[in-house]
Amino acid sequence: MIYGESGSGKTWLYKKVLKNLGVNVYIANLANASRLKSINAEFSNLVNREKQARQTGYSETKKADLSAGIASGGLQHQNQYSFSEKEPFEACLSHIRSLSGDGQAILVLDNLESIRSDQNLLTELANIITLLDDERYAFYKINILIVGVPGDLREYYQATPNLATVANRIRELPEVSRMTLEQCKYLINQGFIQELKYSIDNISDLESHISWVTDRLPQRIHEFCLELAFLGEKVGRRIEFRLLDEADKFWLNQSLASNYTVIESMMNERSTLVGRRNQTLYSLGLIEVEEFKWSDVESILRREFPSSTNNLTLNIPQILSGLSTQDNPIIKRSPKGDAYCFSDPKYRMCLRAMLRKSTNYDSVEKLPISDM
Ligand SMILES: Nc1ncnc2c1ncn2[C@@H]1O[C@H](COP(=O)(O)OP(=O)(O)OP(=O)(O)O)[C@@H](O)[C@H]1O
Ligand SMILES: [Mg+2]
């Protein structure tokens, strides 16, 4: 099992590594299983897709044969692709084995999050995993790689029947985590300077900003840098620091618009008052850990807004509880219930790119995108 935040590079990573190792990879998409209400249906789909691809290739060859006047050899071939009578999972393993010869082969079940709330499919998955050491299935020597996001993994385990049996057959790889600061800087440099030949005014400020707002998730870094590259192109392929506000806006608009709308609806209306809720939202953006307690938020808030909090009781638990029980909550309680986490990591990025401390008395402003 491989897991990591959305956009951290799981799919890219397993494809690249397995290709380098010469492993044959076949991908079943659990999003499709969810749509078809059955993982087995997606296995049948996978087999049919592969067969069709091969048959198309074959009939094209046959056409070429015909035109060359030697059809008979090609027609014999066709029987080889008759559909098997095995049940879908075994048929899928058997088909993969026949395509892979003696080579190593992996069946990937990508997007575990798509079936997280479907108890029937989770049970089906548990059964599939349990079958793996049944001789009839183990015979094909196909490994399975399950791909998912961290939050769902916990929920997945909680909802899995016969957990001990299933867990006993799973090996979790270390999390595909966000990039390190060094990797993020490398990517920015590689893109703007090596590949695009842009000139950059103050590279270290740029690196800090990008790694901060994107939380160093590769996909978000790519998205942000794309917006910045478009802006820089218009001013002579040059990136100046003042372009970053613009890039924030475009990026919020292109990639985080739905998150922006949700956060906007949670803000205090009047930014002139000391909006405690706005201050709380701003402070949430500064949180760096996955799970946090109200006391963590309060200490950030007191640090960031000292003059409006001095000697006052703040009631942060109540504000957080309110934020977690609204429609489309941006935070949710951790499974144990004593802490919170973001319901989607994009909210943290959105808070970072969207909210600014204003020069006014301890208040918080949003970067407007409605005029775009
Ligand atoms: N180490 C890396 N360096 C540069 N780009 C990367 C790196 N890892 C991933 N990417 C890029 O980031 C993007 C997202 O990667 P990928 O689709 O593999 O994420 P994922 O974890 O599978 O996301 P999801 O959970 O949404 O499926 C891709 O465009 C990929 O090329
Ligand atoms: Mg993926």
Side-chain angles (χ1 to χ4, degrees):
M1 176 174 280
I2 184 172
Y3 69 101
E5 293 298 355
S6 182
S8 62
K10 302 177 292 297
T11 302
W12 176 80
L13 185 65
Y14 75 67
K15 282 188 178 162
K16 178 170 164 61
V17 170
L18 294 176
K19 186 173 173 212
N20 288 353
L21 292 172
V23 176
N24 299 286
V25 181
Y26 297 89
I27 302 173
N29 196 334
L30 293 176
N32 236 350
S34 167
R35 200 169 59 86
L36 303 169
K37 304 252 171 288
S38 149
I39 301 176
N40 267 309
E42 171 61 359
F43 288 150
S44 300
N45 222 353
L46 194 155
V47 172
N48 289 337
R49 223 163 37 217
E50 294 284 339
K51 284 189 167 162
Q52 231 160 26
R54 305 203 106 210
Q55 274 173 335
T56 314
Y58 162 69
S59 44
E60 274 161 16
T61 326
K62 200 177 68 174
K63 256 190 253 155
D65 282 357
L66 275 173
S67 60
I70 41 164
S72 53
L75 286 171
Q76 280 175 351
H77 223 90
Q78 205 160 23
N79 295 334
Q80 209 181 313
Y81 301 109
S82 67
F83 286 71
S84 83
E85 304 295 325
K86 298 187 180 91
E87 57 88 14
F89 181 44
E90 191 183 351
C92 186
L93 297 180
S94 155
H95 188 66
I96 292 176
R97 180 43 65 209
S98 73
L99 294 179
S100 309
D102 291 336
Q104 275 190 302
I106 285 197
L107 170 60
V108 178
L109 305 183
D110 206 337
N111 300 317
L112 178 63
E113 61 276 11
S114 322
I115 64 165
R116 132 188 93 178
S117 43
D118 189 324
Q119 190 57 52
N120 291 334
L121 294 184
L122 287 174
T123 305
E124 195 183 356
L125 180 59
N127 291 338
I128 287 166
I129 295 169
T130 308
L131 280 178
L132 284 174
D133 70 350
D134 179 308
E135 265 173 45
R136 275 168 296 171
Y137 299 87
F139 168 78
Y140 299 102
K141 290 191 167 47
I142 312 282
N143 283 351
I144 288 195
L145 179 68
I146 301 174
V147 186
V149 297
D152 296 324
L153 204 65
R154 257 177 276 142
E155 286 179 30
Y156 162 70
Y157 280 134
Q158 276 176 355
T160 292
N162 305 320
L163 178 59
T165 316
V166 171
N168 193 32
R169 287 162 175 71
I170 291 182
R171 206 174 115 218
E172 261 181 43
L173 297 173
E175 177 173 357
V176 181
S177 54
R178 56 205 70 231
M179 291 184 144
T180 63
L181 188 56
E182 285 312 308
Q183 289 169 332
C184 179
K185 287 179 179 176
Y186 178 81
L187 185 57
I188 294 168
N189 277 279
Q190 189 72 16
F192 280 115
I193 297 170
Q194 305 297 324
E195 300 287 339
L196 294 175
K197 318 277 183 225
Y198 275 38
S199 66
I200 298 185
D201 277 3
N202 190 342
I203 184 98
S204 66
D205 287 350
L206 185 82
E207 291 164 345
S208 309
H209 182 81
I210 297 176
S211 57
W212 174 248
V213 290
T214 61
D215 220 0
R216 305 193 305 273
L217 276 166
Q219 186 168 342
R220 309 295 156 229
I221 301 172
H222 281 296
E223 288 165 356
F224 189 94
C225 290
L226 180 65
E227 299 301 338
L228 191 57
F230 286 144
L231 290 168
E233 192 175 32
K234 290 188 198 140
V235 290
R237 300 175 82 80
R238 181 190 177 95
I239 307 285
E240 296 170 26
F241 192 68
R242 60 171 184 87
L243 289 183
L244 289 182
D245 252 11
E246 277 301 280
D248 283 345
K249 282 194 197 177
F250 276 99
W251 182 57
L252 283 167
N253 206 26
Q254 285 293 327
S255 303
L256 300 171
S258 64
N259 309 84
Y260 185 100
T261 314
V262 172
I263 293 171
E264 195 176 32
S265 73
M266 291 183 178
M267 292 182 73
N268 289 116
E269 306 240 313
R270 296 204 169 268
S271 47
T272 44
L273 301 172
V274 174
R276 197 66 82 204
R277 188 139 42 126
N278 294 359
Q279 291 177 339
T280 308
L281 288 168
Y282 181 86
S283 306
L284 281 172
L286 300 190
I287 298 247
E288 305 225 33
V289 289
E290 293 308 318
E291 282 193 1
F292 47 89
K293 303 203 156 119
W294 66 264
S295 51
D296 302 325
V297 181
E298 174 160 343
S299 53
I300 295 176
L301 198 151
R302 286 189 186 277
R303 185 190 74 210
E304 295 292 320
F305 304 100
S307 39
S308 63
T309 53
N310 198 16
N311 289 325
L312 290 175
T313 321
L314 301 182
N315 226 344
I316 302 299
Q318 200 186 358
I319 298 177
L320 293 182
S321 166
L323 291 175
S324 72
T325 48
Q326 281 184 296
D327 292 346
N328 297 316
I330 66 166
I331 53 172
K332 58 181 184 187
R333 283 193 195 272
S334 64
K336 272 195 276 167
D338 58 342
Y340 287 98
C341 56
F342 282 99
S343 58
D344 179 337
K346 279 182 165 181
Y347 282 118
R348 184 190 347 236
M349 296 171 217
C350 190
L351 288 167
R352 288 180 179 182
M354 166 179 181
L355 300 182
R356 309 269 188 273
K357 271 203 274 191
S358 89
T359 41
N360 275 344
Y361 178 70
D362 273 7
S363 64
V364 172
E365 285 170 347
K366 63 170 193 260
L367 193 67
I369 59 170
S370 53
D371 56 342
M372 299 196 65

